[in-house]
Amino acid sequence: MDLYEYQGKQYFARFGIPTSLGGVADTVDEAVEQAEAAGYPVVVKAQVKVGGRGKAGGVKLAADADEVRIHAQNILGLDIKGHVVKRLWVEHASDIAKEYYASFTLDRPAKLHLGMLSAEGGVEIEEVAQTNPDAIARIHIDPVTGLSEDAARAWVDRANLDPEARDQAATLLVRLYHCYVEGDCDLAEINPLILTPEGKVHALDAKVTLDENASFRHPEWEEYEDDSDVDPRERMAKEKGLNYIGLQGTVGIIANGAGLAMSTLDVVTQVGGEAANFLDIGGGANADVMAAALEVINADPAVKAIFVNIFGGITRVDEVAKGIIEAIGRVSLSSPVVMRLDGTNAEQGRALLADHLSDTLIAEPTMLDAARRAVSLATA
Ligand code: GDP
Ligand code: MN
């Protein structure tokens, strides 16, 4: 789960990482209030979960209330790479002597944490990695021993930060490491980390991705849950406890098992169609699960046909068939359903469904046949 910059900065603050004084604003008037509280000059910043806001006109300096109004007006509603700005962060502007880059992520192949530090910050790190890879000092950290103050200091020296920044940077990096580990982040990134002309080091930006696998031990993360960017179909599926991912096509997919669901998408593509979703109903697909799956897919206006692909293993096809019959009675569907039912007790399952078959509830003998039928119905 990605955090907005302002949330990332609040997260940083819990671990003692210095940031600028500021506040959030959802309107122009609120932006002025926050600016007055932070003290001029201020910087008005778009809160969107995408990088490169500065280049897109989403980060502006303002010397007084009039300038805050102008910038807030322009930035609110601005579309930055498909993300519409609904909220601003207004903070006291810093003077910048130097811009650095710092981050922690997991290096999976190495099975170690990876810290990256560069005296060339402010620009995108991918760009630095391309044009001047030696400017990035990397450190691998054993999660058991962690990052000591000494190791951090040696790393800072290796990155060639300005001498007056080094002590503060080392302390800050140890804190950022704690934030990353104890805060259960997948990514904790500061770009730019700045040195001010007065010799202070602090974070001017915050990019934090939380590891949702750890949410069970962070009840406080609930406040970060943010529906505004979530696909409404996915929100509905999540409420119903389904394993669903929305896609762009017209063939709704229901399959048991993630592998079969993936293969189903492939087969639909192979015969010239496009899947509207991925949906794995898992094992033991009863009527409730089947009804919930059909409801979610039926609510997607793009869906023109539904392909139910079940291969019974431990899940028995006759049970699935009962589930389908009951679910179809409960949900009034606007698209035809094409079924492929195979595996354990397939015969019994098909026999149960025989009386229910119609123009809109169709059984096909194989996955390929069913895919072809669903795609032709979806494109008819
Ligand atoms: P990003 O473009 O989405 O990464 O947004 P940032 O928060 O990193 O801001 C982009 C750039 O705006 C930074 O690299 C700085 O050069 C500049 N900037 C941001 N805050 C300040 C500030 O307080 N003072 C000054 N002078 N520049 C700032
Ligand atoms: Mn940045």
Side-chain angles (χ1 to χ4, degrees):
M1 174 168 49
D2 293 334
L3 298 189
Y4 289 104
E5 174 197 6
Y6 75 92
Q7 294 170 328
K9 285 181 167 171
Q10 288 162 356
Y11 212 64
F12 282 175
R14 287 172 35 190
F15 294 89
I17 296 158
T19 53
S20 307
L21 179 65
V24 292
D26 296 338
T27 63
V28 173
D29 286 340
E30 280 173 23
V32 174
E33 274 172 41
Q34 295 294 8
E36 306 281 333
Y40 296 105
V42 294
V43 52
V44 180
K45 308 183 75 173
Q47 296 302 290
V48 282
K49 294 179 178 180
V50 63
R53 295 165 302 159
K55 277 188 201 153
V59 178
K60 294 284 183 192
L61 287 163
D64 54 38
D66 287 341
E67 287 187 14
V68 171
R69 280 185 189 286
I70 293 166
H71 294 315
Q73 191 87 56
N74 289 336
I75 298 174
L76 283 168
L78 187 69
D79 186 314
I80 301 181
K81 302 176 188 169
H83 298 249
V84 177
V85 182
K86 299 198 187 93
R87 178 165 278 188
L88 303 170
W89 171 252
V90 182
E91 71 177 23
H92 183 67
S94 306
D95 288 329
I96 302 176
K98 274 290 174 58
E99 294 188 298
Y100 308 133
Y101 172 95
S103 71
F104 290 102
T105 53
L106 181 64
D107 183 341
R108 289 174 191 276
K111 300 188 178 105
L112 294 168
H113 296 306
L114 172 66
M116 291 199 278
L117 181 63
S118 177
E120 293 187 20
V123 291
E124 276 170 36
I125 195 65
E126 290 82 1
E127 201 179 306
V128 180
Q130 281 277 321
T131 56
N132 192 5
D134 293 341
I136 303 172
R138 289 161 210 268
I139 186 171
H140 273 110
I141 303 155
D142 186 323
V144 177
T145 48
L147 178 66
S148 70
E149 201 67 54
D150 285 349
R153 179 59 212 231
W155 178 32
V156 166
D157 288 341
R158 210 148 42 77
N160 258 319
L161 299 199
D162 300 82
E164 65 269 40
R166 293 187 186 188
D167 286 342
Q168 289 174 72
T171 304
L172 187 148
L173 288 165
V174 170
R175 291 176 183 177
L176 185 63
Y177 179 75
H178 283 294
C179 173
Y180 165 74
V181 174
E182 284 138 46
D184 284 308
C185 303
D186 277 335
L187 169 70
E189 182 189 74
I190 305 176
N191 188 23
L193 173 70
I194 62 157
L195 171 67
T196 68
E198 303 82 48
K200 289 268 183 283
V201 173
H202 81 264
L204 221 56
D205 193 5
K207 191 169 174 198
V208 171
T209 306
L210 300 173
D211 176 359
E212 277 171 86
N213 295 311
S215 58
F216 69 93
R217 59 185 170 217
H218 293 282
E220 79 280 9
W221 285 1
E222 209 175 313
E223 69 169 289
Y224 300 135
E225 264 164 39
D226 166 28
D227 270 4
S228 63
D229 283 347
V230 174
D231 184 328
R233 299 174 299 173
E234 292 186 2
R235 189 184 317 158
M236 181 178 176
K238 197 174 172 189
E239 278 163 14
K240 294 181 183 293
L242 295 171
N243 198 356
Y244 173 100
I245 294 165
L247 301 168
Q248 320 312 322
T250 56
V251 182
I253 306 271
I254 298 175
N256 66 321
L260 184 60
M262 296 287 281
S263 311
T264 309
L265 303 196
D266 285 347
V267 172
V268 164
T269 306
Q270 191 193 323
V271 300
E274 229 189 306
N277 66 277
F278 166 99
L279 202 172
D280 162 24
I281 53 171
N286 60 27
D288 286 339
V289 179
M290 192 53 88
L294 286 169
E295 269 176 87
V296 169
I297 289 179
N298 198 45
D300 180 349
V303 168
K304 298 287 178 273
I306 301 170
F307 179 5
V308 177
N309 190 7
I310 303 293
F311 191 92
I314 295 169
T315 305
R316 290 163 42 200
V317 174
D318 52 332
E319 287 301 321
V320 175
K322 283 181 201 156
I324 293 172
I325 292 163
E326 200 183 323
I328 282 172
R330 274 198 243 166
V331 186
S332 104
L333 293 174
S334 32
S335 315
V337 176
V338 181
M339 300 173 296
R340 174 266 184 153
L341 303 173
D342 215 335
T344 310
N345 290 6
E347 290 303 319
Q348 293 91 319
R350 289 190 201 130
L352 284 169
L353 277 157
D355 287 346
H356 298 268
L357 297 180
S358 68
D359 286 354
T360 54
L361 185 64
I362 300 152
E364 289 286 354
T366 72
M367 179 157 158
L368 191 58
D369 291 325
R372 286 202 178 107
R373 188 67 171 268
V375 169
S376 87
L377 285 166
T379 46

